[in-house]
Structure formats: structure tokens, C-alpha cells
Amino acid sequence: QNRGRLLISCNDKPGIVAKVSQWLFEYKANIVESNQYSTSHTDGLFFMRIEFECPDFQKRYSELKESFHEVASSFKMDWQLQSASNRKKTAIFVSKEDHCLQELLWNYERGELYTDIAMVVSNHETMREFVESKGIPFHYIPVTKETKPEAEKAQLELLESNEIDFVILARYMQILSSDFVTRHPNRVMNIHHSFLPAFVGAKPYERAYERGVKLIGATAHYVTDELDQGPIVEQDIERVDHRDSIEELKRIGRSVEKSVLARGVKWHLEDRILVYGNKTIVFD
Amino acid sequence: QNRGRLLISCNDKPGIVAKVSQWLFEYKANIVESNQYSTSHTDGLFFMRIEFECPDFQKRYSELKESFHEVASSFKMDWQLQSASNRKKTAIFVSKEDHCLQELLWNYERGELYTDIAMVVSNHETMREFVESKGIPFHYIPVTKETKPEAEKAQLELLESNEIDFVILARYMQILSSDFVTRHPNRVMNIHHSFLPAFVGAKPYERAYERGVKLIGATAHYVTDELDQGPIVEQDIERVDHRDSIEELKRIGRSVEKSVLARGVKWHLEDRILVYGNKTIVFD
Amino acid sequence: QNRGRLLISCNDKPGIVAKVSQWLFEYKANIVESNQYSTSHTDGLFFMRIEFECPDFQKRYSELKESFHEVASSFKMDWQLQSASNRKKTAIFVSKEDHCLQELLWNYERGELYTDIAMVVSNHETMREFVESKGIPFHYIPVTKETKPEAEKAQLELLESNEIDFVILARYMQILSSDFVTRHPNRVMNIHHSFLPAFVGAKPYERAYERGVKLIGATAHYVTDELDQGPIVEQDIERVDHRDSIEELKRIGRSVEKSVLARGVKWHLEDRILVYGNKTIVFD
Amino acid sequence: QNRGRLLISCNDKPGIVAKVSQWLFEYKANIVESNQYSTSHTDGLFFMRIEFECPDFQKRYSELKESFHEVASSFKMDWQLQSASNRKKTAIFVSKEDHCLQELLWNYERGELYTDIAMVVSNHETMREFVESKGIPFHYIPVTKETKPEAEKAQLELLESNEIDFVILARYMQILSSDFVTRHPNRVMNIHHSFLPAFVGAKPYERAYERGVKLIGATAHYVTDELDQGPIVEQDIERVDHRDSIEELKRIGRSVEKSVLARGVKWHLEDRILVYGNKTIVFD
């Protein structure tokens, strides 16, 4: 297809949009969707995402890239030019709970997640049959305190040899090492089962129950070195009340978790998320 | 101030954004916010709203207008160029219920509605004291079946002599004549106390109660010739259950009505609503 | 197990709760959950649902029933006494869309729907493989204008011979005959893909798109003789905007539909829904 | 009027409801609303709230109380029997922000808060005119680090001499002393401008902005000795995004704060909130 996607960030100043849109016009590109945001209009940072249709986009890709390089350098832009038809290669990490995995695969089969799910990795065998029945390779890599380093090594090798672009922690209940995480900046997305920053860490539903909250939530975020402190991508909540046991909270929470994660993943795959400091700009 | 606002609609084709942003750049304008939408990328309609900071905007206003005229004519644009510091003149029509009026005035006093509320018009004296205590002129124009034409004549004269740009029907329980409405296309906003198109017409809460719905809603829409059929600007709902009497539905509904109307009014005052056929594009 | 469930409706008057709770006490029953509602406190109708634990409930079931008969007759009650461990037998009717079916089966497998799904009936073969992979019998009964009466006959026979208690229309896109419906009063639940009473009938998303609504909804209701006019069980909505195409509305809507239907079904299976006129009382 | 309200808590065991409802029946009382909850059905705590209509309730009040004493002692109940027509006396504490105060007074004037607002207390003069225009006494008690103890003494004297039952901290930006709080257990309600337990303490919107959350919330809770750790009464949230500045978060937050506080206050005034450990049971 002829659809391209341009992602830009740089210091804001007048003329950026003029220059970029003039460049697109020269290539007879039609803007399909355009989003921009400045942190401040005087001395802020400028972020832009443009989706466009351009005749012979694939054929002329390297020509386009070279020519945009000039535009970009005059504004000292960070930028990416991508073909929208390039699917990212995704790996899903799971443990024993299947609701997030099911939701992702259900959306995937319907064509709502534009990606290539290359594998599911798990520290349990529980999901093997289900995953393989979908024709997706399943890798069982057990993790114990002792074997963690070597398990991660195996995971990293899998990701590398399969050229994985994006890792989804779909209720994978293990903490990844600093090394793993820093190798994939803003490319590992986790679903945390609370409305962060409330209930960072383990057993959020148990603690929500203890605290007597009236809403429970879920948070999709990029994983960084600090536990549950990475850039937040999406959040949502559901109402609960005094009658709901911890089991009920978990049941209700599953439904929030899976839809929050699915939205975050969809946005990532469409390059709608720009990270800025520890915050995200979502052009949804 | 130096803030301007450009609203554009025309047939979509490549080069519009390039031309408009180049024009802005020539005037050293910095884009503050930009939104665009096409109904279709091949042969659709194109809509755009740009807010920008331009040095000496007020002084150079007529120069800018003249110069944009050329850009516009090459694309056969419908367009408006406005100073963001020009306040629209607003009239609020009410009957006896005060919750929407109170919400609007509360937001107005806080500086959240950028307008000049020039008058409140009512067919009852009920709100006079409250309105006048805020320093806003209050006009009592009673309406009966017989006096309706003459009452509307008085209303229209008031609007004209005060150069009113925008009329808000904040639970004004009278139907305006076709003549009144067609004179103010997309400039009269009504709050209907249901989730349109459910419960068009009178007594929506009573009918919602009869039907046993589990959610009640409110709809802000521009008024057209056909009752409750105008372009929808904003809607929201609140959950109810079997225990809620009609009185309870009304109580709950008041809170939805007032916030839905306040959002719609705010968007209108900031020129964020473009009407297209019988639908609205809201650049919020 | 020893859990029982008592459902009562009668004219309201003092002493009902005293009599019923006294009766429970005599059988050493412990009330687990109790809900009541009166349409009016002076001359209204009284509805009650009590869940209780009673030693030897199963063994003493007929004794309990006989003894409650006396309590009931003094207040002219309509009533049911059930064992909470009796699973209803359910049939799910589907067409080609699978999201509601998937959600129901997913909840079912997790033990969240206390029922026995005895069969899936469809006018298409599309879902056969999926359904049979779950070990659930699949019945393909094609329906055309000409064969409709005979198809319904086949369906009714299936329901009867399998002693089905509850029929779920999980996006079964056929209208059932009056005869079918009246045989199963408040025992056929449909999911309608709009916020009823808006967009009764066919193609609700298309019509929602045309009307330019800002929220789309779904409604679970019992099926009656009149199309989409039966008692509403549950409703919910999701926010949309001008950028959403009909396809997007459908995608967003699927997620509302499936969760609304799943909630309605869960309540029905736990006898939490009492129908009164054309309205429902939901003791959730 | 003849409406009474009975609040009960005790250890759960069979026969409680039978005994209580039998007692009501003896006094020809008609149950208007009844709610109950057990923390566990085997050895839990039992909570109940019953509203009823009883002929000559006011006249027979002391007789009823005496007679219920017997019922209560057999189950070792904590209990209260109240006349629903007794209004609680309320004091509202504010600082400079008026949105919560306005919402409370607006609901109050509409008869939706069944109370007697006896005074507004503030550490600023800002709200005096507004409050006095409503005919409500306004007490200005300035607070500085040095004068805090003496300011609190003045406040406590005001509360005592006016027999205040309920204190609402409607964005009163001062921390009350341990002494003040422990004198009014579950009788001081605060609105915290975050979704607790996220952002305990000062400047929650600033911190929410820093953290980049996608939802902001508000929490109504009873005040205890520990800052923002008291029993949560009600919470709600609103969606925000990357474009919202701290000022926008505050604006959006005001609307959540005021409605959350208004709901919590309404429930308190109708005795719908039972506190159990550090959690609330809300019979709404």
C-alpha cells in the first residue's frame, strides 16, 4: 500500500508544519490524519504524527527518506518515516491467567491489531494448547529465583533471533531485569492491575480491598527500570462496593485489565504513542 | 492579544495544509492548536481549525484577511478568520428551572466561558432576582398560545438590537418558530433532557420511566426547524435503576443536563464545532 | 449444597418480611442476601429475593415447599423456592458474529455463569468448529423466508426435548415468531445493538452514524411479541466521535454488547431479575 | 411525620431479621426500605438499615425505643432508632475555593440535602458575602501556624455551642488536629482531590500531572487521625489527556470533587453509611 507515517519531535518554532506539509505536497501525498502537540507555545517541545497516502510510497521509500532528512536537519528533528503496511513483530509474555491473552488474540483474529504475533512466551505450560491451536508458537521458559538470569537470556535470544519489535506483558507475573528493560525502551508494555500510582507492586486487588476503595482500575504502561513507574499509556476503572469480595474485585478487574491493555497495544502498533520524559502523548 | 483562529471547510485535495501553513509562516504565526478532519481521503470534504499566535494580529487583521482570501479562493474554501479575543455576545433563554442557568453563570464567573452574557430572557419572572444580582439584564417576555408571535417578535428585536451572536436554550420549555430558528442557523443551542433520538419531544423523563430504561441521558444540539432533530453537539448519560421514581430521574438528570450543556456551550464559544449536514465535527 | 433462593411478589402490606423471616428462622436458615422493593409504600406491589443457607435444604426441599405454601397463601403471593445449586439449562442462538458467544463461553468456562449450556443453535455453520471444540453440541438450522415456520418448529423441538430453561439470542439476527416468544415469557434474552428505545429494529449502527450521536449503546432485554419493546434488563454506552466510521462504531459497539449481555445473563441465571409490567427489577 | 430509621450492627446469626421485622410488625410499621450486609455468613458481622412508616411514630418514640432495647440486647446489637424527620445540624468548613460549597448549598436549597446548615466556618473572608446572602451565619477564624491551637479551640466551641452533628470539609485546606478529629469519629467528612490512595497529601493535581495519569479522581472520606487514611465513602474519576495543563486538571477536577462530596454528604445525612474497621458500607 501507499500509506506512510511520519513521527516527529523537536523544539517548537514557527514554520515546522509549513515545511513538513510542503514536503508532503511535493510528493503528491494526501494527509489522512495529522496530530500535533506542543508542551508550550513559546519555548516548548513539538510533537507530530502524520499519516498520509503517497503514490508509489513503497517504491520511492528511500528517496523519500533521503529527501526528508534535509527538512529534518534544519529543525534538528528526531523523526521516523514508516510504511504503515509494515507490521511490527510482537511477543506476548503470559503466566497462568489468560484473560488478557484471549482478548489480544480475539482482537488480532478480527484484524483489529495490525501486527504479527510471532510468539507467546510463558513460565508455565498452562496456555500452550490454546496458543498452539491458533497457530502461534509457544515457548515455555520456566523461571525460578535461581534460573532467572538464564531464563532471561533464553528470552532475549528468542526476541533477537525473531526480530521482535514489541513485547506485551499480558499478566506475566515476573519482574524483568534492568538489563532486559533498558534494551527495549518504550517497547515493553505491561498491564498493572490497579489505578497507578495507587497500589504499586504486588497484590493490588488485595490491597484495594483492604483500603476499601470504591473504584478499581487498571493501567497499561511502558516498563522501565523502576517497578510500575514507567510512562502511563492508558487507564480505566470500574465501580465496586462493600459487597465485593477480593474474588469479585479480581473478576471485575479482569474485564478492565483486558480492555485497557488492548487499547494501549492498538495505539502502540499504530505508532500513536510518543514518550516524553516519563509521560506519554497519545494521538488517538 | 495576538491570538487568531482560522476555520476552513472545502473539498479535500493535496496541498491544503501546505498552503495554509506556509501562509501562517509568512506572518510569523506560531500554531497553538491545529485540528483537521476529512470525511473521505479520496473525494471527501476537508475541515480545519487552527489557533495561532501572530505578532500584531489585531493591527494587521484586515491585511491578513485580504491575503488569506487568495489562499482560500484557490481551494474554494468556506472560511472565517477571527480574533480569539473577540467575545461572542450571548443570550440565555430560561423558563422556571434554574440548574442549567446556574451552571452556565457559575462557569462564566470563573472565566471558563469566554463570552459576554448580554441578557437572560424568560417567560417567567422566577429567575429575575438571581440574574439581576449578577448584574445581567433580565427580560421577562410572557408567552401564551395567543401571544406567541408577538412574543417572538419582541425576542428577535432584543437579539438584533443587542447584536446577539449565540442563543442558549437553558431549559426554555417553549418551541421556537421556524422563522426564529432559520434566522440563526447553528447559533441556537438547546439542551434536551434525554439521550436523543430516544424520547424526542415532551416529558422525556416520564417516558424514560415508563419504558424502564437503565440509563438516562441529555443531549445538547443546535436547533433546527424539526423538533429535536438538529445536529447533536454533545451527549452523556447517568445510570439509574428500578428504585428511582420520576422525581429521582429528574434530579439525576439535572446534573447530566447542566454539564452536557456547559460543555457544548464552551465548544461553541471557542469555535470548536463545525456543522456538516446534520452532524457536528467537534474539535475538542 | 444447602443454599436456597426464595422469590416473592404480592401486594405490599405490613408483616410480610416478619412472616417470611420467621419462617426461615424456624428452619434454622441463615439469610445470605436479601433484597426487597415496593412500587409504593401504601398500596404498591412488593417484591423480594432472599438467598439463604439452610441445613439439609435438599433433603427437606418438599417439606419446605409445603410449609411455605401456607405463608404464601395468607399474602396471596406469587412465589418460587429454588435450590441455588440447580443449574438452568441454556441454549444460545447465534448467527455469524461471534463476540457475544465468545464472551459468554469465556465467562462460562471460568465458572462465572452458573448454568449448563446445553447447545448452540445457529442459522449458519460459521461457529460450528469453535462451539464443538468446547464440547458443546451445535445445531445448524438454516432459516429462509420460506422455511422459517419449519425452522422454528425444529428449534422448539430441540428446546423442549432438552428441557431448555433459558434462551440467549447472542446476536441471532432473526426475528422469532410470536408463537415462539409467548411460549417462553421472560425466558428469551436478546442483545440489541443500540441504546433502546433509540434505533429500534434493523441496522442501528448505520442509523446512529447517520444521526451523528456522540454515544453508542447496547441493550439486553427480554423478548416479547413487539420488536425491541420487551422489558429492559441492562444497558450501557461507549463514547464515539465524528471520526468514527460505521465500521468503527460496530467495533466499539461489540465490546459494549458483549459485556451488557454477559451481565444480563448472569443476573438471569441467579434469579436476580423480576419482571413487573414491561419493566425489570434487578436485585444486583 | 411517621418515618423512622433503625440502624443495627451485631454478630451475624439466624433469627435477627425475623426478630426485628416481627417487632416492626407489632407496631404496625410498614418497611419502606431495608438493606443488610454480612461480612461472612458463618461468623461475620451483620449490618442493617431499615426505614419504615409507623403510625404515631413521634408520639410513641420513647415507648418504641424501650421496647426495641429488649430485642437488641438478646443479640448484643449496637443500634440507633431515629426519627427520619430529625435534621442533623451541619457546619461547612471552607477556605477560598467555592465550588464544593456552591454545590452543597445549591442542593440544599433544592431540598436534596436533608439537614440544617447551621454555619460556614472559614479561615478566609472570601466567602462571607455569598454565604450571608443565603442567610447562613459565617464565622471567620483565621489560622496561622502560631494561632492554630487557639483557632481550633474557637471552632470547637462553635460546634459545641451550636450542637453540630456533622462537619463537612469542603476544600478546607487545613489539617485538623488529632484532638479535633477524635472528638468527632465518622462525623467529619473531607473531599480529597485525588483518587486515594494515590496522591495522599498536598498538591495532588500537580503530582497527577507529573505522573502523567490518564484519569483524575476525587475521594470523599471520613477524617481520622492519619492524613487521608480515613474510611472512603465515595470516589469518582474523569478522563484527562496529555494536552491538559495543571490548570485544566484542576478545572476538570472541581466538577468531580463537588459531585463526589455531594453524594457522600447526602448518604451521611440519610444514615446510609456504616463504618466497619477502616471501610464503609454504603446502603445507597
Side-chain angles (χ1 to χ4, degrees):
Chain A
Q1 289 142 349
N2 291 319
R3 186 161 297 195
R5 209 177 274 158
L6 192 55
L7 297 171
I8 294 167
S9 65
C10 60
N11 288 321
D12 197 4
K13 59 178 172 174
I16 303 175
V17 179
K19 212 50 167 280
V20 171
S21 52
Q22 181 57 35
W23 177 82
L24 284 167
F25 182 55
E26 277 160 23
Y27 288 89
K28 296 192 177 19
N30 202 350
I31 297 173
V32 168
E33 188 181 338
S34 168
N35 294 282
Q36 57 187 87
Y37 170 69
S38 290
T39 57
S40 153
H41 309 304
T42 46
D43 60 351
L45 293 169
F46 175 86
F47 301 90
M48 192 170 202
R49 177 190 185 276
I50 300 188
E51 221 170 289
F52 57 90
E53 295 279 349
C54 175
D56 299 319
F57 178 77
Q58 305 274 27
K59 255 192 256 170
R60 307 179 68 186
Y61 180 65
S62 38
E63 180 193 346
L64 281 157
K65 238 177 134 169
E66 205 166 314
S67 124
F68 192 74
H69 185 73
E70 261 176 81
V71 177
S73 57
S74 67
F75 290 98
K76 295 183 183 158
M77 291 174 178
D78 280 331
W79 63 284
Q80 297 175 46
L81 177 65
Q82 295 171 350
S83 165
S85 58
N86 271 6
R87 291 169 187 274
K88 292 192 203 317
K89 289 191 78 178
T90 297
I92 305 178
F93 281 40
V94 297
S95 189
K96 286 178 180 170
E97 293 237 50
D98 67 343
H99 53 288
C100 288
L101 177 65
Q102 292 242 25
E103 182 78 2
L104 292 173
L105 294 188
W106 190 80
N107 287 325
Y108 179 54
E109 289 177 343
R110 235 142 240 82
E112 293 174 9
L113 297 182
Y114 197 76
T115 185
D116 171 14
I117 298 183
M119 68 180 74
V120 171
V121 176
S122 182
N123 55 338
H124 293 280
E125 286 280 19
T126 325
M127 296 290 110
R128 179 185 291 279
E129 197 184 324
F130 170 66
V131 170
E132 291 183 344
S133 80
K134 304 285 183 185
I136 298 171
F138 179 90
H139 299 281
Y140 169 54
I141 304 182
V143 180
T144 64
K145 244 184 208 167
E146 295 72 37
T147 65
K148 193 160 183 173
E150 130 195 32
E152 269 205 0
K153 205 169 150 247
Q155 292 168 346
L156 284 167
E157 275 167 17
L158 265 175
L159 299 184
E160 237 162 272
S161 62
N162 287 276
E163 299 180 304
I164 297 298
D165 302 297
F166 182 38
V167 176
I168 306 169
L169 307 184
R171 296 292 308 254
Y172 179 66
M173 310 302 285
Q174 303 288 322
I175 296 171
L176 299 176
S177 76
S178 171
D179 176 49
F180 190 113
V181 167
T182 49
R183 279 186 199 213
H184 305 85
N186 305 325
R187 281 164 51 204
V188 181
M189 191 180 287
N190 182 44
I191 180 73
H192 185 78
H193 37 319
S194 85
F195 178 74
L196 289 175
F199 310 121
V200 165
K203 299 206 170 290
Y205 289 126
E206 281 78 355
R207 288 150 66 206
Y209 180 81
E210 279 312 309
R211 184 63 188 90
V213 296
K214 301 299 184 185
L215 310 168
I216 53 164
T219 305
H221 65 97
Y222 288 120
V223 177
T224 60
D225 217 4
E226 265 184 282
L227 183 63
D228 299 334
Q229 300 293 327
I232 292 172
V233 170
E234 172 63 337
Q235 305 188 288
D236 213 343
I237 56 93
E238 194 73 41
R239 193 161 275 275
V240 296
D241 72 24
H242 60 268
R243 298 170 303 175
D244 295 311
S245 62
I246 295 177
E247 280 318 302
E248 275 296 294
L249 296 192
K250 286 180 181 174
R251 189 183 67 76
I252 296 166
R254 281 197 286 265
S255 135
V256 193
E257 290 168 30
K258 69 186 187 184
S259 61
V260 164
L261 180 60
R263 284 202 292 276
V265 164
K266 188 173 191 295
W267 293 335
H268 179 93
L269 294 173
E270 297 172 1
D271 297 308
R272 295 184 174 280
I273 310 174
L274 285 78
V275 176
Y276 150 62
N278 202 42
K279 298 164 76 165
T280 60
I281 294 156
V282 179
F283 288 138
D284 68 328
Chain B
Q1 288 140 350
N2 290 320
R3 185 161 298 196
R5 208 177 274 157
L6 192 55
L7 296 170
I8 293 167
S9 65
C10 59
N11 288 320
D12 198 5
K13 59 178 174 176
I16 302 175
V17 179
K19 212 49 167 281
V20 171
S21 52
Q22 181 57 35
W23 177 82
L24 284 167
F25 181 56
E26 278 161 23
Y27 287 90
K28 298 190 174 23
N30 202 349
I31 297 173
V32 169
E33 187 182 340
S34 169
N35 293 282
Q36 57 187 88
Y37 170 68
S38 289
T39 56
S40 153
H41 309 303
T42 46
D43 58 353
L45 292 170
F46 175 84
F47 300 90
M48 192 172 203
R49 177 190 184 277
I50 300 187
E51 222 171 288
F52 57 90
E53 295 277 350
C54 176
D56 299 318
F57 178 76
Q58 305 274 26
K59 255 193 253 169
R60 305 178 70 186
Y61 180 64
S62 39
E63 180 193 344
L64 281 156
K65 238 177 135 169
E66 207 165 314
S67 123
F68 192 74
H69 185 74
E70 262 175 82
V71 176
S73 57
S74 66
F75 290 98
K76 293 184 184 157
M77 290 175 178
D78 280 331
W79 63 284
Q80 297 173 45
L81 176 65
Q82 294 171 349
S83 164
S85 59
N86 270 6
R87 291 168 187 274
K88 289 191 206 318
K89 289 191 77 179
T90 297
I92 304 179
F93 281 41
V94 297
S95 190
K96 285 177 181 171
E97 292 237 51
D98 68 342
H99 54 287
C100 289
L101 177 64
Q102 293 241 25
E103 182 78 2
L104 292 173
L105 295 189
W106 190 78
N107 287 326
Y108 178 55
E109 289 177 343
R110 234 144 242 81
E112 293 174 9
L113 296 183
Y114 198 75
T115 185
D116 172 15
I117 297 183
M119 68 179 74
V120 171
V121 176
S122 182
N123 55 337
H124 293 280
E125 285 280 18
T126 326
M127 296 289 111
R128 179 184 292 277
E129 198 184 324
F130 170 66
V131 170
E132 291 183 344
S133 80
K134 303 286 184 184
I136 298 171
F138 180 90
H139 299 281
Y140 169 53
I141 304 182
V143 180
T144 64
K145 243 184 210 167
E146 293 74 36
T147 65
K148 193 159 185 177
E150 130 194 33
E152 269 206 358
K153 209 172 146 243
Q155 292 169 346
L156 284 167
E157 275 167 18
L158 266 175
L159 299 184
E160 238 162 272
S161 62
N162 287 276
E163 299 181 304
I164 298 299
D165 301 298
F166 182 37
V167 176
I168 306 169
L169 307 185
R171 295 293 306 253
Y172 178 67
M173 310 302 284
Q174 303 287 322
I175 296 171
L176 299 176
S177 75
S178 170
D179 176 50
F180 190 113
V181 167
T182 50
R183 279 188 199 210
H184 305 85
N186 304 326
R187 280 164 51 205
V188 181
M189 190 180 288
N190 182 44
I191 180 72
H192 185 76
H193 37 317
S194 85
F195 178 75
L196 288 175
F199 310 122
V200 166
K203 299 204 170 292
Y205 290 125
E206 281 80 353
R207 288 148 68 206
Y209 180 81
E210 280 311 310
R211 185 62 188 90
V213 295
K214 300 298 184 186
L215 309 168
I216 54 163
T219 305
H221 65 96
Y222 287 121
V223 177
T224 59
D225 217 4
E226 265 184 283
L227 183 62
D228 298 334
Q229 300 294 326
I232 291 172
V233 170
E234 172 63 339
Q235 304 188 289
D236 213 343
I237 55 93
E238 194 73 41
R239 191 161 277 274
V240 296
D241 72 24
H242 61 268
R243 298 170 303 174
D244 294 310
S245 62
I246 294 179
E247 280 318 302
E248 275 296 294
L249 296 193
K250 287 181 181 174
R251 189 183 69 76
I252 296 166
R254 281 197 286 266
S255 134
V256 193
E257 290 167 32
K258 70 186 188 185
S259 61
V260 165
L261 180 60
R263 284 203 293 274
V265 164
K266 187 172 191 299
W267 293 334
H268 179 94
L269 294 173
E270 298 172 1
D271 297 308
R272 295 185 175 281
I273 310 174
L274 284 79
V275 177
Y276 150 62
N278 201 43
K279 297 165 77 166
T280 61
I281 294 156
V282 178
F283 289 137
D284 68 329
Chain C
Q1 287 140 349
N2 290 319
R3 188 162 296 196
R5 209 178 273 156
L6 192 55
L7 297 170
I8 293 167
S9 65
C10 60
N11 288 320
D12 197 4
K13 59 178 175 176
I16 303 175
V17 179
K19 210 52 167 277
V20 172
S21 51
Q22 182 56 36
W23 177 82
L24 284 167
F25 182 56
E26 277 161 23
Y27 285 90
K28 296 190 176 18
N30 202 350
I31 297 173
V32 168
E33 187 182 340
S34 168
N35 294 281
Q36 57 186 90
Y37 170 68
S38 289
T39 55
S40 153
H41 310 304
T42 46
D43 59 352
L45 292 170
F46 175 86
F47 301 91
M48 192 171 202
R49 177 189 185 276
I50 300 186
E51 222 171 289
F52 57 90
E53 296 277 350
C54 175
D56 300 318
F57 178 76
Q58 306 273 28
K59 254 192 253 171
R60 305 178 70 185
Y61 180 65
S62 39
E63 179 192 346
L64 281 157
K65 237 176 137 169
E66 205 165 316
S67 123
F68 192 74
H69 185 73
E70 261 174 83
V71 176
S73 57
S74 67
F75 290 98
K76 294 181 183 157
M77 292 174 177
D78 279 332
W79 63 284
Q80 297 175 47
L81 177 65
Q82 295 171 349
S83 166
S85 58
N86 271 6
R87 291 170 187 273
K88 291 191 204 318
K89 290 190 77 179
T90 296
I92 305 179
F93 281 41
V94 297
S95 189
K96 286 177 180 171
E97 292 238 49
D98 67 343
H99 54 287
C100 288
L101 177 64
Q102 292 241 27
E103 182 78 3
L104 292 173
L105 294 189
W106 190 79
N107 287 324
Y108 179 54
E109 287 176 344
R110 233 144 243 79
E112 292 173 10
L113 296 183
Y114 198 75
T115 185
D116 172 14
I117 298 183
M119 68 180 75
V120 171
V121 175
S122 182
N123 55 337
H124 294 280
E125 285 280 17
T126 325
M127 297 290 109
R128 178 184 292 278
E129 198 184 323
F130 170 67
V131 170
E132 290 183 346
S133 80
K134 303 285 184 184
I136 298 171
F138 179 89
H139 299 282
Y140 169 53
I141 305 182
V143 180
T144 64
K145 242 185 211 168
E146 294 73 37
T147 64
K148 193 159 182 175
E150 129 195 34
E152 269 206 0
K153 208 171 148 245
Q155 291 169 347
L156 284 168
E157 275 168 18
L158 266 175
L159 300 185
E160 237 163 274
S161 62
N162 287 275
E163 298 180 306
I164 298 298
D165 300 298
F166 182 38
V167 176
I168 305 170
L169 307 185
R171 296 293 307 255
Y172 179 67
M173 309 303 284
Q174 302 288 322
I175 296 171
L176 300 176
S177 76
S178 170
D179 175 49
F180 190 113
V181 168
T182 49
R183 279 189 199 208
H184 304 86
N186 304 325
R187 280 164 52 202
V188 181
M189 190 180 288
N190 183 44
I191 180 72
H192 185 77
H193 37 319
S194 85
F195 178 73
L196 288 175
F199 310 120
V200 165
K203 299 204 168 293
Y205 289 126
E206 281 80 354
R207 287 149 69 206
Y209 180 81
E210 280 311 310
R211 184 62 188 90
V213 296
K214 301 297 183 186
L215 310 168
I216 53 163
T219 305
H221 65 96
Y222 287 120
V223 178
T224 60
D225 217 5
E226 266 184 283
L227 183 63
D228 298 334
Q229 300 294 325
I232 292 172
V233 169
E234 172 63 336
Q235 304 188 290
D236 213 343
I237 56 94
E238 194 73 41
R239 192 161 275 273
V240 295
D241 71 25
H242 61 268
R243 298 171 303 175
D244 295 311
S245 61
I246 294 179
E247 280 319 302
E248 275 297 294
L249 297 192
K250 286 181 181 173
R251 188 183 68 76
I252 296 166
R254 281 197 285 266
S255 134
V256 193
E257 290 166 32
K258 69 187 187 184
S259 62
V260 164
L261 180 61
R263 284 202 292 276
V265 164
K266 187 172 192 297
W267 293 335
H268 179 93
L269 294 172
E270 296 171 2
D271 298 306
R272 295 184 175 280
I273 310 173
L274 284 78
V275 177
Y276 150 62
N278 201 43
K279 298 165 76 166
T280 60
I281 294 156
V282 179
F283 289 137
D284 67 329
Chain D
Q1 288 141 350
N2 291 320
R3 185 162 297 196
R5 207 178 273 157
L6 192 54
L7 296 170
I8 294 166
S9 65
C10 59
N11 289 321
D12 198 5
K13 59 178 174 174
I16 302 175
V17 179
K19 211 52 167 279
V20 171
S21 52
Q22 180 58 35
W23 177 81
L24 284 167
F25 181 56
E26 277 161 24
Y27 287 90
K28 298 188 175 21
N30 201 350
I31 296 173
V32 168
E33 187 182 339
S34 169
N35 294 281
Q36 58 186 88
Y37 170 69
S38 289
T39 56
S40 152
H41 309 304
T42 46
D43 58 351
L45 292 170
F46 174 85
F47 301 91
M48 191 172 205
R49 177 189 183 278
I50 300 187
E51 222 170 289
F52 57 89
E53 296 277 350
C54 174
D56 300 318
F57 178 76
Q58 306 273 28
K59 255 193 254 170
R60 306 179 69 184
Y61 180 66
S62 39
E63 180 193 346
L64 281 156
K65 238 178 135 170
E66 206 165 315
S67 123
F68 192 74
H69 184 75
E70 260 175 83
V71 176
S73 57
S74 66
F75 290 97
K76 293 184 184 157
M77 292 175 178
D78 280 331
W79 63 284
Q80 298 173 44
L81 177 65
Q82 294 172 350
S83 166
S85 58
N86 270 7
R87 291 169 186 273
K88 290 192 204 317
K89 289 191 78 178
T90 297
I92 305 178
F93 281 41
V94 297
S95 190
K96 285 177 180 172
E97 292 237 50
D98 67 342
H99 54 288
C100 288
L101 177 65
Q102 291 241 26
E103 182 78 2
L104 292 173
L105 294 189
W106 191 78
N107 287 326
Y108 179 53
E109 289 176 343
R110 232 143 242 81
E112 292 173 9
L113 296 183
Y114 198 77
T115 184
D116 172 15
I117 297 183
M119 68 181 73
V120 172
V121 176
S122 182
N123 55 338
H124 293 280
E125 285 281 16
T126 326
M127 296 290 111
R128 179 185 290 279
E129 198 184 323
F130 170 66
V131 170
E132 291 184 345
S133 80
K134 303 285 184 186
I136 297 171
F138 179 89
H139 299 282
Y140 169 53
I141 304 182
V143 180
T144 64
K145 243 184 208 165
E146 294 73 37
T147 64
K148 194 161 183 173
E150 125 195 38
E152 269 205 358
K153 206 170 149 245
Q155 292 168 348
L156 284 168
E157 275 167 17
L158 266 175
L159 299 185
E160 235 162 275
S161 62
N162 286 276
E163 299 180 305
I164 298 299
D165 301 297
F166 182 38
V167 176
I168 305 169
L169 306 184
R171 294 293 308 255
Y172 179 67
M173 309 301 285
Q174 303 288 323
I175 296 171
L176 299 175
S177 76
S178 171
D179 176 49
F180 190 112
V181 167
T182 49
R183 279 187 199 211
H184 305 86
N186 305 326
R187 279 164 53 203
V188 181
M189 190 180 287
N190 182 45
I191 180 73
H192 185 76
H193 37 318
S194 86
F195 178 74
L196 288 174
F199 311 122
V200 165
K203 297 204 172 293
Y205 290 125
E206 281 79 354
R207 288 150 67 206
Y209 179 81
E210 280 313 310
R211 184 63 187 90
V213 295
K214 301 298 184 185
L215 309 169
I216 53 164
T219 305
H221 65 97
Y222 287 119
V223 178
T224 60
D225 217 4
E226 265 185 283
L227 184 63
D228 298 334
Q229 300 294 327
I232 292 172
V233 170
E234 172 63 339
Q235 305 187 289
D236 213 343
I237 56 93
E238 193 74 39
R239 192 161 276 274
V240 296
D241 71 24
H242 61 268
R243 298 170 303 174
D244 295 310
S245 62
I246 295 179
E247 281 318 302
E248 275 296 295
L249 297 192
K250 287 181 180 173
R251 188 182 67 76
I252 296 166
R254 281 197 286 267
S255 135
V256 193
E257 290 167 31
K258 69 186 187 185
S259 62
V260 164
L261 180 60
R263 284 203 291 276
V265 164
K266 188 173 191 295
W267 292 335
H268 179 93
L269 294 173
E270 296 172 2
D271 297 307
R272 295 184 175 281
I273 310 173
L274 285 78
V275 177
Y276 149 61
N278 201 41
K279 297 165 77 165
T280 60
I281 294 156
V282 178
F283 288 137
D284 68 328

